[in-house]
Amino acid sequence: MSFANPYFLIALVGAAVPVLIHLLTRDRIQHVPFSTLRFFAKGAKMVVRRKKFQELILLLIRVALVVLLALAFARPFLGTKAADARQEFTTARAVVVDVSGSMRRAGLLDALKKEAAGAVSSLTQGQDTAALVTFADTTAILNPFGDKLDAVESAAEGIAPGYGGTNIADALRKANELLRGVRAKQKEIVLVSDLEKGGWAYFKGDWKLASDIKLTVRALKPTDAGSGLGIVEMSAPSSLVLDKQPSSIAVRIANYSSQPRNDLEVSLVLNGKTVETQKVNIRANGTVAVRFRYVFDTPGDNPGSIVVGTGVSTPENTVYLNARTVPRIPVLLVDGHPSANPQADAAFFLNKALVPSAESPFEVKVLPVEKVTPENVFASTVVILADVGQVSAPVSDALAALLARGGGLLFLPGDQVKPEAFKTDFGKVAPCGLRQILQAHPANGETAESLTRIDFNHPVFDVFSLPHHGDLTLPKFARYWETTDTQLSGVLARFGDGRPAILERQIGKGMSMLVASPISSDWNDLARQSVFLPFIHQAVRYLAVQTGRQTVYTCGDLLPIPEGDTVKDPQGQSVSVPGKSGITATKPGFYLATSKSGTQDFCYAVNGSMAEADPATVSGDEIAAAIERAPDEALGGLEGGTTATLDSGKKDAGMWWYLMWAVVMLSLAELVLGNKTLRH
Amino acid sequence: MATTGVLDFNVLARIDSMQLLAKVIVEGFVLGLHRSPYRGFSIEFAEYRQYSPGDEVKHVDWKVYGKTDRYYIKQFEEETNLVCYLIVDASASMGYKSTPDGFTKLDYAKRMAACLAYFMMRQRDSVGLMIYDTKIRTALPPRMRQTHLKHIMAALETSEPGGETNISIPLHELAEGLKRKGLIILISDLLDDPDKVISALQHFRFQGHEVIVFQVMDTGELEFSFSTMTEFTDLETGQKMVVSPEGMRPVYLEELRQFLSAYEKGCGGIHAEYKLFDTGKPLELALSEYLHRRSRMG
């Protein structure tokens, strides 16, 4: 056995310290005349012997702690054949190659291959070693360090950029780790990239390269500036309800060139047809937003794209979208207090508001609470519990399952609700608990509270945000529930006294919402106000579609396609789904998935990284200055701290960890035994 | 240091004269009472009866004779209506004190006995005193003269901790020797076999005596607040034992609890009053206990 830092063995002298402390502080026996020994005759000697034994064990543990700590810091290693057998190279070079979407620009691919292959070919077979690392959003090690440079060189010549984003810092970090595992006199990282500025933004300055690793940056520039245009942002609905109202689709286009662009055509293509084209002007180095309004009146997927310019649609000038439209939202309205008198019926006003005409987007099924079955819940997207005090256990489980799969739940608790029963039956699915019913006592002398502090940015309330779009402060609440356990919930509106009035909480993939006052004239006049209908519509729509399946992804994202489904990529080629986690999107366009039974299709729109269009770059010197460690720089950070202190040929992390584990375990034993001995 | 009523223990400890100390404490205690302790205990007229030959001529009421021309004898209640025996344990274990400037248990017991004797004398009760360790060392028969009080105080002042505690034998001896029914007040640490002691006290109860047991324990004995390794020496037997107090404390306190509980239950079983005294607590409690018992005896 040898030691990497043998000077730390001097600390073994410290093993004498616990012995000295033990000798100096051991109990001096005091002599005390006492009235009688009759009360401690039993076990006195045993206690004394046990204490002496414990003190001896404690002393041994403390000595062992000091010895193990000294050994651990001396970094022992076994001179085994395996450690010595590792070949020591003259030069170890990690070639880090950028294959992000921005590398698809003119002239970059050839330069990329040339530089990457050149970095490998300049090494000497048998003396040097090389590894090939590619990166976009994520980093991949194509060839780890080995003794075959030819294989690495051919791999470098075969690389091709994709459509992903750029993360330079992650790639350098992985290369740094690779180099730590190889013995070499000289260690280098060669970074081949266009050095896109956004790709360096992930570096937080929390680590540096090991001091024996040098960084060389080969910056590449495109031979052609291209169009200088790029789509940097898109906003499009993923899931929506079939409606007569138009939905908004917007993109932001950037002009990176120094020349203004006038009469630039921007087209919205849906279901294979160009539905609208707008002409916009963009000043030099400026951006412009283009908004389309479209009524999605076709149920199911509506794949589409927005194309910039008059040329052919390519991934560079196109963003893809898919608005999935559901025909009608199945809503289960559970009536907790059915009554022949409509005024007293808990569900009457809600039903009237949700289905005012045959063209309602909601398909409402009203059931008294006793008749609700789990099957009713399963068949619904949104369940409204109107003054429902309690439900059966199967229904409660079905409500939890509804939220788990992305459905919505709306609570409107009233007189039928008891806080304890509510907690028992709905504790896992409600956004909060209930404490007691309060009578409104506002300070202004009125007998009812109004809604205040309304979150108008929330989708439920944004329709009310503009002037003359409904006044949500008009409804008066004479009675309402005081809520509890609201820490994990978002409060969308409050009563005048500051207590939460409307709360929501995401549970599973679904959303649970609670209005702290039911739709009843005994509690409030909400049903008589003009805002009632739009409020209920917005709330149910929000609960139905806000957790709808995502339809737009970016290259590198995981598409949540169930195992066994048939998938075709944007080029129409079949892709197998390897596991339950789905497949990774690699190409922009549409991935079409068909379920095993062939009954359900789903279209995933995939875009390239929009940040790649930005031609701004970072300098290689800046990167090197940020992560290279000066020879005299103090150790710190996760990477270099351990790397620089270790000679790669001597490190034996296994023994270090065993020793430190022993120290930890002995410390715990010392803590327990010391405490016990002290008390005795 | 704790205080006893208005007086600090430090003050009491400096009073050498047992009688003065008793006077200070008792008068202070009496002043604190809301009613006179003397009520009902003075010599009271009982009844007249006709003279019969052999009666003392001095008891003839001549005023009645002048009015009725007949001889009547004036009868009084007995001058002293209670005989009280103070039994003080002066064994070696009573010489223990946990703090250098505090009372030993014997000091505490002596002061308690002195106060009780003084107090009883003020109430015209007869007081006797017995001091013992393995055997009876001092025995003063019950009297109610002031000179007798001085003898009691002197006996208390001169008593020192002696040999081993052996309560049962002296108590049996004393029980055999008492002729008049009265009140037995035992002041001791009772570090003896509880069964034997209770048996001896039962002897008094069989003879019609009322029994009060004041068990005196030091704070150190009750709390066992030692911390470092200690070699304890038994004051009575001289036996030595090295003990780790922290480890021993639970055992000790449990044993002590059972020991005290045995006395409490035993005394309750024979209808004897039992009171545990901590030498850090005021002496007046003993007087209160005595008064309470005394009032029940009429």
Side-chain angles (χ1 to χ4, degrees):
Chain A
M1 182 187 292
S2 302
F3 297 93
N5 304 312
Y7 294 114
F8 276 100
L9 293 177
I10 295 171
L12 286 173
V13 179
V17 173
V19 178
L20 287 173
I21 292 174
H22 176 78
L23 293 174
L24 291 173
T25 62
R26 64 180 174 169
D27 284 341
R28 304 270 181 234
I29 295 178
Q30 62 171 344
H31 301 272
V32 172
F34 200 62
S35 53
T36 181
L37 304 184
R38 62 187 298 148
F39 302 128
F40 44 80
K42 293 177 186 174
K45 289 178 181 174
M46 183 187 74
V47 170
V48 172
R49 277 201 302 270
R50 189 172 62 195
K51 180 170 181 178
K52 285 184 176 175
F53 180 70
Q54 284 175 345
E55 284 180 347
L56 184 64
I57 295 292
L58 203 57
L59 173 65
L60 291 175
I61 287 176
R62 287 167 179 168
V63 170
L65 268 175
V66 175
V67 170
L68 286 176
L69 271 174
L71 288 175
F73 279 96
R75 305 301 292 261
F77 62 92
L78 298 170
T80 60
K81 285 183 179 178
D84 291 334
R86 289 192 307 172
Q87 185 179 355
E88 185 173 13
F89 297 100
T90 306
T91 302
R93 181 175 294 165
V95 184
V96 181
V97 183
D98 185 352
V99 291
S100 65
S102 60
M103 298 301 288
R104 301 179 71 85
R105 288 179 291 174
L108 286 181
L109 178 58
D110 292 338
L112 182 77
K113 288 179 179 178
K114 185 181 173 187
E115 288 290 347
V120 179
S121 63
S122 62
L123 299 173
T124 307
Q125 180 73 39
Q127 293 181 4
D128 302 328
T129 183
L132 185 63
V133 178
T134 60
F135 70 94
D137 296 296
T138 55
T139 304
I141 300 169
L142 293 189
N143 293 78
F145 284 109
D147 51 3
K148 292 181 179 175
L149 293 176
D150 297 344
V152 181
E153 190 173 349
S154 61
E157 287 169 349
I159 55 178
Y163 295 91
T166 311
N167 189 343
I168 300 172
D170 183 57
L172 292 177
R173 187 174 182 140
K174 293 257 172 54
N176 182 50
E177 287 172 6
L178 267 181
L179 281 167
R180 282 168 57 190
V182 67
R183 294 181 65 199
K185 292 175 181 169
Q186 191 174 344
K187 295 182 179 180
E188 295 175 358
I189 294 175
V190 177
L191 172 64
V192 185
S193 169
D194 61 351
L195 303 181
E196 179 203 335
K197 193 170 187 177
W200 185 237
Y202 296 99
F203 182 66
K204 305 298 180 193
D206 55 346
W207 66 278
K208 287 195 172 187
L209 296 175
S211 57
D212 57 345
I213 297 176
K214 298 295 176 193
L215 174 67
T216 305
V217 181
R218 305 274 167 80
L220 305 179
K221 289 187 178 177
T223 54
D224 180 6
S227 65
L229 296 170
I231 300 174
V232 294
E233 195 177 351
M234 180 186 70
S235 168
S238 283
S239 295
L240 45 84
V241 181
L242 194 66
D243 204 348
K244 302 294 183 189
Q245 296 296 319
S247 297
S248 177
I249 303 161
V251 291
R252 182 175 296 280
I253 302 165
N255 177 12
Y256 298 113
S257 69
S258 56
Q259 299 296 319
R261 300 294 297 268
N262 296 324
D263 295 331
L264 180 68
E265 288 190 2
V266 183
S267 304
L268 171 65
V269 180
L270 283 171
N271 297 311
K273 295 177 183 175
T274 302
V275 296
E276 187 179 348
T277 299
Q278 295 183 22
K279 287 186 176 178
V280 295
N281 300 329
I282 316 178
R283 60 183 172 80
N285 295 313
T287 63
V288 66
V290 183
R291 185 184 298 273
F292 299 94
R293 303 278 287 173
Y294 185 76
V295 179
F296 288 94
D297 51 2
T298 309
D301 286 331
N302 290 280
S305 59
I306 295 174
V307 184
V308 178
T310 53
V312 181
S313 169
T314 64
E316 283 73 28
N317 67 354
T318 306
V319 287
Y320 302 92
L321 60 98
N322 178 22
R324 189 173 178 84
T325 312
V326 291
R328 277 186 160 192
I329 300 170
V331 177
L332 174 62
L333 177 52
V334 184
D335 192 345
H337 186 233
S339 171
N341 176 12
Q343 300 283 338
D345 192 308
F348 175 76
F349 292 113
L350 286 164
N351 191 25
K352 287 293 179 190
L354 288 169
V355 194
S357 68
E359 295 181 351
S360 165
F362 307 111
E363 188 177 332
V364 180
K365 184 171 189 176
V366 184
L367 284 177
V369 64
E370 311 82 48
K371 294 185 178 176
V372 175
T373 63
E375 288 72 26
N376 300 136
V377 177
F378 288 136
S380 309
T381 302
V382 176
V383 175
I384 302 174
L385 299 170
D387 199 6
V388 175
Q390 53 191 113
V391 293
S392 63
V395 172
S396 181
D397 293 341
L399 292 174
L402 170 74
L403 289 176
R405 69 172 186 267
L409 201 51
L410 176 61
F411 289 91
L412 293 156
D415 288 310
Q416 303 300 315
V417 176
K418 299 289 178 284
E420 284 305 315
F422 186 86
K423 186 177 182 181
T424 306
D425 287 8
F426 304 122
K428 292 179 181 174
V429 293
C432 61
L434 300 175
R435 180 174 290 143
Q436 58 181 335
I437 298 171
L438 298 176
Q439 296 286 342
H441 293 293
N444 56 13
E446 294 185 7
T447 56
E449 293 280 11
S450 301
L451 293 180
T452 60
R453 295 160 68 181
I454 301 163
D455 181 6
F456 284 107
N457 291 321
H458 192 274
V460 174
F461 298 114
D462 64 353
V463 296
F464 303 104
S465 60
L466 296 174
H468 310 298
H469 278 64
D471 187 352
L472 281 171
T473 62
L474 288 178
K476 300 298 179 190
F477 295 82
R479 298 165 68 203
Y480 49 88
W481 279 97
E482 182 184 11
T483 54
T484 62
D485 306 322
T486 60
Q487 298 88 341
L488 298 176
S489 303
V491 180
L492 309 184
R494 294 179 183 274
F495 294 113
D497 61 358
R499 289 190 168 87
I502 303 172
L503 307 95
E504 69 167 9
R505 180 181 172 189
Q506 179 151 3
I507 299 172
K509 293 178 182 174
M511 186 63 77
S512 177
M513 184 181 286
L514 182 140
V515 181
S517 189
I519 310 303
S520 166
S521 54
D522 292 340
W523 290 65
N524 55 63
D525 63 354
L526 178 60
R528 298 197 196 109
Q529 298 292 339
S530 58
V531 294
F532 175 57
L533 188 141
F535 166 68
I536 288 296
H537 276 238
Q538 288 296 105
V540 176
R541 279 168 186 262
Y542 168 71
L543 290 172
V545 303
Q546 72 84 29
T547 52
R549 290 169 71 176
Q550 183 181 347
T551 57
V552 181
Y553 293 82
T554 304
C555 283
D557 286 350
L558 208 59
L559 305 181
I561 300 172
E563 190 176 10
D565 280 12
T566 308
V567 184
K568 287 191 174 177
D569 71 5
Q571 271 79 49
Q573 295 173 338
S574 292
V575 180
S576 62
V577 183
K580 292 178 180 176
S581 55
I583 61 170
T584 303
T586 55
K587 301 169 186 172
F590 297 103
Y591 282 75
L592 299 172
T594 307
S595 64
K596 284 180 193 172
S597 59
T599 55
Q600 260 192 322
D601 294 337
F602 202 91
C603 177
Y604 298 87
V606 176
N607 292 302
S609 173
M610 295 184 191
E612 295 298 296
D614 188 346
T617 58
V618 62
S619 80
D621 292 343
E622 185 180 333
I623 294 174
I627 66 168
E628 271 193 336
R629 190 188 301 277
D632 56 345
E633 191 172 351
L635 295 178
L638 180 65
E639 312 300 320
T642 52
T643 309
T645 53
L646 274 180
D647 184 294
S648 58
K650 292 182 178 177
K651 70 172 183 177
D652 191 335
M655 285 196 70
W656 157 268
W657 285 114
Y658 284 130
L659 288 170
M660 290 313 290
W661 267 112
V663 167
V664 169
M665 300 311 290
L666 282 175
S667 298
L668 287 174
E670 197 274 345
L671 194 68
V672 173
L673 193 61
N675 190 32
K676 200 173 174 183
T677 307
L678 192 69
R679 283 191 283 109
H680 285 190
Chain B
M1 177 63 75
T3 58
T4 168
V6 295
L7 293 175
D8 192 285
F9 270 177
N10 291 325
V11 176
L12 294 179
R14 288 196 292 270
I15 300 176
D16 293 331
S17 166
M18 201 61 76
Q19 185 164 351
L20 178 58
L21 177 134
K23 184 179 179 183
V24 168
I25 293 177
V26 171
E27 295 299 339
F29 174 68
V30 169
L31 280 174
L33 294 176
H34 291 293
R35 61 185 180 87
S36 166
Y38 305 112
R39 185 184 297 170
F41 300 117
S42 58
I43 302 170
E44 289 184 3
F45 167 76
E47 60 181 354
Y48 286 108
R49 71 169 172 80
Q50 205 156 7
Y51 172 79
S52 61
D55 287 337
E56 288 274 350
V57 178
K58 66 180 181 181
H59 292 146
V60 173
D61 192 328
W62 297 109
K63 288 182 180 176
V64 175
Y65 172 74
K67 292 176 184 173
T68 62
D69 205 20
R70 291 181 181 177
Y71 297 107
Y72 283 96
I73 298 295
K74 207 175 180 179
Q75 286 195 317
F76 297 90
E77 291 287 352
E78 193 174 14
E79 285 182 340
T80 167
N81 50 13
L82 180 67
V83 176
C84 183
Y85 299 92
L86 293 170
I87 306 173
V88 178
D89 179 1
S91 61
S93 64
M94 291 289 284
Y96 175 71
K97 61 178 179 180
S98 57
T99 53
D101 53 348
F103 287 140
T104 65
K105 290 191 285 184
L106 182 59
D107 288 338
Y108 194 85
K110 283 156 60 177
R111 281 161 173 75
M112 184 187 285
C115 290
L116 287 168
Y118 185 87
F119 192 50
M120 290 164 185
M121 286 290 188
R122 290 289 297 265
Q123 297 192 127
R124 291 177 169 73
D125 291 338
S126 296
V127 182
L129 174 69
M130 191 190 81
I131 300 173
Y132 71 94
D133 43 37
T134 51
K135 59 183 180 182
I136 297 172
R137 282 160 45 183
T138 304
L140 298 174
R143 300 277 190 275
M144 64 159 293
R145 289 192 296 270
Q146 284 298 312
T147 51
H148 184 62
L149 182 61
K150 289 181 180 176
H151 292 151
I152 289 176
M153 297 301 174
L156 287 172
E157 282 173 10
T158 54
S159 62
E160 293 294 332
E164 287 185 48
T165 307
N166 192 349
I167 305 174
S168 57
I169 294 173
L171 289 184
H172 280 297
E173 285 179 15
L174 183 65
E176 291 296 330
L178 296 182
K179 292 172 182 173
R180 294 181 63 188
K181 292 178 185 176
L183 175 63
I184 306 294
I185 299 179
L186 173 62
I187 307 172
S188 167
D189 57 8
L190 301 176
L191 293 178
D192 199 349
D193 183 0
D195 292 337
K196 288 182 182 176
V197 176
I198 296 298
S199 170
L201 293 175
Q202 201 166 19
H203 196 160
F204 288 106
R205 291 292 293 148
F206 282 150
Q207 293 185 335
H209 296 288
E210 290 292 327
V211 176
I212 302 176
V213 178
F214 291 149
Q215 186 171 17
V216 179
M217 299 291 279
D218 189 273
T219 310
E221 291 175 316
L222 293 172
E223 297 177 356
F224 200 66
S225 50
F226 301 94
S227 56
T228 56
M229 192 79 86
T230 306
E231 183 187 64
F232 291 98
T233 305
D234 193 313
L235 282 171
E236 293 188 353
T237 64
Q239 184 187 354
K240 295 179 187 299
M241 188 175 288
V242 179
V243 167
S244 171
E246 282 90 351
M248 181 52 65
R249 183 174 294 113
V251 179
Y252 174 92
L253 292 178
E254 176 57 24
E255 289 284 318
L256 178 66
R257 188 192 64 75
Q258 290 180 10
F259 176 75
L260 298 178
S261 176
Y263 274 113
E264 191 170 10
K265 286 179 183 171
C267 290
I270 60 170
H271 302 291
E273 292 290 327
Y274 169 84
K275 186 80 180 171
L276 174 66
F277 279 90
D278 179 346
T279 54
K281 298 286 168 56
L283 279 166
E284 285 99 320
L285 290 175
L287 301 178
S288 302
E289 194 68 21
Y290 162 72
L291 266 186
H292 172 67
R293 191 72 175 182
R294 178 68 182 79
S295 63
R296 285 170 53 188
M297 294 173 68

